[in-house]
């Protein structure tokens, strides 16, 4: 096809495909207000004396098939509590992915431990088990597996590696509410699963997090880790902190909102799954784009829709493609977090603290190289997803993709 016969996209002067905004349903409403009113009526907003946080924990644990859940103030706090509970200590090594949020990595650093970055699978963008295995040393204590974008990791392989080497497996499920592996919710294959309720996640309470485990001893430590080491179990008032903990408590206000949100989760996930799988079906014939790939045992819960752009087939790189799609009115952005985390100044310059040592200085991160992760960031484009999106939004999105791909291909 020549450019002359192709409908010019918005970037070449055509009319943008999307003439109406994407549907947006209110996120919070009467259900949250009703829970908040009840929380206020309790005349306490403290988790230990109120009912909302405890109820959230009970419901979340049941929903995710875990024996215990401990709510906390953020997803980062959840991961920090997990690292405290499993006893991560200074100079330990913890294997982590280089494409994630800093909330995965900071807790490792605050324990005085050393993040060791393993490479990723080029199709799922999650930890590559072979690279994880290569990164293990006698100092390795844990693996933190992030289910990126709501796409599950290869948990069978990662659990086997963790068990073979006697390591803890912590699942970072911050982006993966409603995501399943082997028909089970993520977060229960590892010893501990950590979720976030920050404003941008599938369900939210402004900020908040929750940790799940089926290990009684870990559950006890998780509670202490989030409450300054104070034991507030019924009939106990013990302030004798047994280890270095923090105040990561969730308030009754957050608990109330999260409870109302939890009731909406199934519908949020199924709407996202339906919309995204229909999108994949309709654009899968377009060449030059690697659409989301979920491994055999997984179900994706689409926190976002992550693609890779193959310049040699499409005739455009991730920047050019994203710019053109965005001009059509479709929310796509290239490169996700931009750089793999080990390229951040914090690692390149060992600048964790202004003065003083941190064990991670032992690693020269200027020599860290995860080529697949770097290639993924170079070539990826992310479509923002929301459960509110309508069928008309889907039609427009498909049209925009078709139009832009046809345009680039006509110019080759
Ligand atoms: C993969 C991942 N881990 C951890 C976090 C940290 O969660 P929070 O922002 O609730 O601290 C996030 C948040 O964006 C995340 O996406």
């Amino acid at each position: 096809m020549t450019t002359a016969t192709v409908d010019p996209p918005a970037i070449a002067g055509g009319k943008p495909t999307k003439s109406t905004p994407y549907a947006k349903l209110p996120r919070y409403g009467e259900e949250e207000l009703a829970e908040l009113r009840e929380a206020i009526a309790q005349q306490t907003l403290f988790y230990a004396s109120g009912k909302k946080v405890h109820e959230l924990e009970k419901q979340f644990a049941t929903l995710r098939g875990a024996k215990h859940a401990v709510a906390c103030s953020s997803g980062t706090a959840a991961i920090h509590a997990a690292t405290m509970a499993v006893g991560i200590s200074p100079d330990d090594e913890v294997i982590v992915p280089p494409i994630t949020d800093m909330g995965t990595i900071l807790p490792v650093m605050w324990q005085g431990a050393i993040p060791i970055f393993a490479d990723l699978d080029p199709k799922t963008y999650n930890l590559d088990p072979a690279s994880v295995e290569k990164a293990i040393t006698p100092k390795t204590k844990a693996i933190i597996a992030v289910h990126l974008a709501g796409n599950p990791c290869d948990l069978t392989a990662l659990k086997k590696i963790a068990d073979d080497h006697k390591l803890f497996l912590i699942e970072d499920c911050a982006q993966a509410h409603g995501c399943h592996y082997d028909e089970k919710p993520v977060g229960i294959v590892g010893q501990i699963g950590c979720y976030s309720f920050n404003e941008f996640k599938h369900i939210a309470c402004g900020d908040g997090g929750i940790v799940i485990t089926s290990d009684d001893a870990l559950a006890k430590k998780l509670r202490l880790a989030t409450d300054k080491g104070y034991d507030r179990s019924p009939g106990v008032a013990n302030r004798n902190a047994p280890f270095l903990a923090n105040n990561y408590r969730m308030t009754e206000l957050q608990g109330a909102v999260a409870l109302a949100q939890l009731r909406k989760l199934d519908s949020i996930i199924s709407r996202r799954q339906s919309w995204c799988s229909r999108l994949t079906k309709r654009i899968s014939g377009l060449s030059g784009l690697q659409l989301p790939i979920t491994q055999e045992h997984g179900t994706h819960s689409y926190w976002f829709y992550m693609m890779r752009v193959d310049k040699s087939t499409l005739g455009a790189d991730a920047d050019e493609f994203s710019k053109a799609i965005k001009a059509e009115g479709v929310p796509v952005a290239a490169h996700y977090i931009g750089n793999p985390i080990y390229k951040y100044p914090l690692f390149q310059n060992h600048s964790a603290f202004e003065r003083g040592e941190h064990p991670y200085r032992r690693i020269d991160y200027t020599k860290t190289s995860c080529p697949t992760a770097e290639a993924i960031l170079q070539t990826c484009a992310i479509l923002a997803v929301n459960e509110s999106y309508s069928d008309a939004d889907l039609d427009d999105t498909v049209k925009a993709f078709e139009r832009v791909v046809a345009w680039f291909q006509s110019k080759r």
Side-chain angles (χ1 to χ4, degrees):
M1 213 182 316
T2 63
T3 29
T5 62
V6 168
D7 161 37
I11 199 159
K15 196 164 161 276
T17 308
K18 195 93 187 78
S19 55
T20 52
Y22 279 82
K24 195 151 175 36
L25 298 168
R27 186 144 204 218
Y28 308 108
E30 279 311 316
E31 300 90 335
E32 285 75 14
L33 281 171
E35 288 286 352
L36 283 167
R37 274 190 213 100
E38 283 183 14
I40 299 282
Q42 296 176 150
Q43 293 302 320
T44 176
L45 297 178
F46 187 54
Y47 86 94
S49 36
K51 292 204 167 104
K52 295 300 175 190
V53 171
H54 288 317
E55 185 57 28
L56 172 70
E57 292 173 338
K58 205 168 112 201
Q59 289 189 18
F60 200 89
T62 305
L63 198 65
R64 295 289 162 250
K67 202 163 160 196
H68 308 276
V70 175
C72 55
S73 53
S74 70
T76 308
I79 295 164
H80 197 183
T83 59
M84 291 185 227
V86 303
I88 300 300
S89 301
D91 207 37
D92 287 349
E93 294 180 4
V94 178
I95 299 175
V96 292
I99 302 181
T100 184
D101 179 80
M102 276 303 275
T104 312
I105 314 295
L106 293 171
V108 175
M109 299 282 295
W110 279 111
Q111 288 303 104
I114 304 172
I116 301 292
F117 295 92
D119 211 349
L120 304 180
D121 179 279
K123 295 204 165 86
T124 63
Y125 323 133
N126 287 323
L127 276 176
D128 169 11
S131 178
V132 169
E133 188 129 40
K134 260 197 238 149
I136 295 172
T137 74
K139 286 183 179 277
T140 309
K141 290 292 179 311
I143 302 165
I144 304 184
V146 175
H147 305 294
L148 198 73
N151 198 14
C153 294
D154 182 349
L155 283 172
T156 306
L158 292 176
K159 182 69 166 68
K160 180 166 185 334
I161 293 170
D163 289 348
D164 287 351
H165 294 270
K166 299 194 170 32
L167 309 176
F168 287 102
L169 177 62
I170 297 170
E171 291 180 62
D172 179 344
C173 314
Q175 302 186 357
H177 283 280
C179 164
H180 283 70
Y181 181 83
D182 243 350
E183 292 177 18
K184 291 196 259 328
V186 292
I188 57 172
V189 173
Q191 284 83 1
I192 301 184
C194 307
Y195 285 82
S196 163
F197 299 123
N198 87 18
E199 179 62 19
F200 311 101
K201 297 298 189 275
H202 291 86
I203 53 172
C205 61
D207 262 314
I210 198 160
V211 194
I212 56 173
T213 186
S214 290
D215 181 308
D216 296 344
L218 286 178
K220 194 150 193 242
K221 283 192 181 167
L222 287 165
R223 176 72 73 204
L224 294 170
T226 56
D227 196 0
K228 301 185 287 189
Y230 291 8
D231 187 349
R232 299 181 207 267
S233 329
V236 182
N238 183 354
R239 287 174 169 256
N240 301 319
F243 59 86
L244 190 59
N246 214 323
N247 177 353
Y248 286 149
R249 296 184 304 237
M250 177 181 270
T251 72
E252 288 288 284
L253 296 175
Q254 291 161 294
V257 174
L259 257 179
Q261 290 269 295
L262 197 58
R263 293 198 284 272
K264 302 178 179 174
L265 182 58
D266 279 353
S267 130
I268 289 171
I269 301 298
S270 61
R271 290 178 69 111
R272 283 175 179 246
Q273 285 173 333
S274 160
W275 197 91
C276 291
S277 53
R278 283 183 291 148
L279 175 67
T280 299
K281 222 182 208 164
R282 289 179 60 182
I283 62 173
S284 61
L286 301 178
S287 43
L289 297 177
Q290 177 179 294
L291 304 179
I293 297 171
T294 305
Q295 53 155 331
E296 207 188 330
H297 301 287
T299 53
H300 202 312
S301 64
Y302 297 101
W303 188 52
F304 50 73
Y305 189 96
M306 187 159 172
M307 300 159 276
R308 284 183 79 178
V309 176
D310 175 7
K311 185 173 180 180
S312 63
T313 315
L314 182 63
D317 64 18
D319 283 308
E320 293 161 330
F321 171 73
S322 303
K323 212 166 147 202
I325 287 276
K326 215 168 157 202
E328 299 297 330
V330 174
V332 170
H335 310 311
Y336 185 33
I337 60 168
N339 283 311
I341 285 182
Y342 55 80
K343 297 252 183 182
Y344 292 1
L346 168 65
F347 293 98
Q348 296 287 301
N349 305 336
H350 285 141
S351 50
F353 297 112
E354 211 163 290
R355 295 182 308 284
E357 284 300 311
H358 186 290
Y360 87 139
R361 283 176 171 269
R362 169 156 90 58
I363 304 292
D364 181 355
Y365 289 98
T366 65
K367 298 207 169 77
T368 298
S369 165
C370 296
T372 304
E374 292 183 23
I376 290 167
L377 287 174
Q378 196 68 38
T379 54
C380 75
I382 305 253
L383 168 68
V385 175
N386 193 282
E387 57 279 5
S388 314
Y389 289 0
S390 66
D391 290 354
D393 292 330
L394 180 64
D395 290 342
D396 289 345
T397 308
V398 170
K399 270 188 225 144
F401 271 78
E402 288 171 343
R403 190 185 199 193
V404 164
V405 169
W407 169 256
F408 283 122
Q409 294 202 325
S410 72
K411 297 204 303 172
R412 297 179 68 228

